[in-house]
Amino acid sequence: MKKLVISTGAGMSAESGIATFRDAGGLWEKYPVMDVASADGFARNPALIHRFYNERRHDLVKAQPNAGHRAIVELEKHFQVYVITQNVDDLHERAGSRNVLHLHGELMKVRALDDESRVYSLPQALEGSEDPLSTTVDTVIQGHHVRPHIVFFQEAVPNFEPAVQLVEEADIFVVIGTSLNVYPAAALLHYVRRGVPVYYIDPNPASVPANVHVIRAGASEGMAELSRILLQNP
Ligand code: OAD
């Protein structure tokens, strides 16, 4: 089976009702990004950052995977599918994708401030508390104060190297719903081997090299079209 590597951004989850960042009405219009998603912001006002991610978690538990997420799962019948996502939601996993690599962390996890390797899943880790989706600067899990398990701006992206390796091994590479503004994620395109077909699904695509086949559509409609194309020559 061919190796199909799919890199997704916020647009993948837009039809599930999760706000994107840079579209009109996107999250970064309402919240200053350097306050709620940077290492400096966390040092300045950790309470604000806890609150911001608590709100995102409450939105996420109400959301469901959309037809685009499900179409990616369907392709596992015909391809070895690997998803690399910039999204911190768990909608790919909930749809049933088996191989998901998160570049920017995971909203439903927190980690110890004093030991990066201690990662805890919510709501299980806070079971019994009044609101097990919410943390504060005072929250203690197994004796540790915690922070969101999110890659803030100004922090390294530990999963970038494994992502590059996947892209280098891809027989087909697909990009869905990202403005290609944030590095290093946006650079993944450059690691595709020569001759490998590349598709980009986005209703408002960023400019990309001429070899990229652009499908100008939302994630669900675009995935339906891509599935038709790929299944003609699995
Ligand atoms: P952006 O908000 O920058 O871009 C969203 C993209 O989704 C745009 O290109 C839209 O055209 C597209 N889009 C909108 N609706 C769509 C739909 N229904 N189907 C498909 N695409 C659609 O989001 P990202 O590129 O993912 O990082 O942003 C990258 C990173 O910036 C995020 O991971 C986040 C943010 O700062 C962190 O918070 C660490």
Side-chain angles (χ1 to χ4, degrees), residues 112-150:
L113 276 173
D114 59 353
D115 180 355
E116 297 263 306
S117 69
R118 290 176 184 274
V119 178
Y120 307 101
S121 293
L122 301 180
Q124 297 85 340
L126 289 175
E127 205 186 319
S129 70
E130 197 174 303
D131 176 3
L133 292 177
S134 294
T135 54
T136 69
V137 288
D138 297 321
T139 302
V140 170
I141 300 178
Q142 294 177 8
H144 299 271
H145 288 282
V146 295
R147 57 162 278 179
H149 188 47
I150 299 283

Side-chain angles (χ1 to χ4, degrees), residues 57-83:
R57 288 188 201 115
H58 283 94
D59 289 346
L60 176 56
V61 293
K62 287 182 232 139
Q64 296 300 328
N66 63 56
H69 294 103
R70 290 194 294 274
I72 292 175
V73 179
E74 274 300 298
L75 288 175
E76 290 193 9
K77 291 181 187 150
H78 308 276
F79 299 91
Q80 264 179 280
V81 179
Y82 291 84
V83 176

